[in-house]
Amino acid sequence: MNENIQVIKVLGKDLSSQELQKINETRLIEFGSTKIIEPKPDNEDWEKIYFLAKKGNDIIAFARLHSVNITILKKT
């Protein structure tokens, strides 16, 4: 079954206004998040990596990678 789903990787600075609107609306509905993702050169959203699963032009899923520090045996 081929549903023509495409997964793309995109930096926050390259997200379209329509993609950002969909992401922010969905985050509010699904997670109650009122923090708006607004990639700008002076904030963390600018260089973050996003994955968008699209069916045609519709975003059906999205994810964002976060950097984390991990400490193991007193080494970060």
Side-chain angles (χ1 to χ4, degrees):
M1 172 173 37
N2 185 355
E3 297 186 28
N4 297 320
I5 295 173
Q6 178 185 22
V7 177
I8 60 170
K9 178 181 103 172
V10 61
L11 292 176
K13 64 184 175 184
D14 296 324
L15 290 167
S16 72
S17 58
Q18 293 87 0
E19 291 166 338
L20 283 167
Q21 180 180 354
K22 178 67 173 180
I23 289 169
N24 285 315
E25 286 174 357
T26 303
R27 291 176 77 240
L28 177 61
I29 293 166
E30 297 296 328
F31 308 116
S33 177
T34 56
K35 181 184 180 288
I36 302 297
I37 295 173
E38 294 180 286
K40 295 179 182 172
D42 63 344
N43 70 25
E44 67 178 4
D45 296 327
W46 189 251
E47 293 292 332
K48 286 230 173 159
I49 297 171
Y50 292 79
F51 293 94
L52 306 177
K54 291 185 161 189
K55 190 172 184 179
N57 288 326
D58 295 327
I59 296 174
I60 59 171
F62 62 88
R64 178 173 69 175
L65 290 182
H66 294 269
S67 297
V68 296
N69 291 325
I70 298 173
T71 302
I72 301 174
L73 300 175
K74 299 183 182 179
K75 291 185 180 183
T76 301

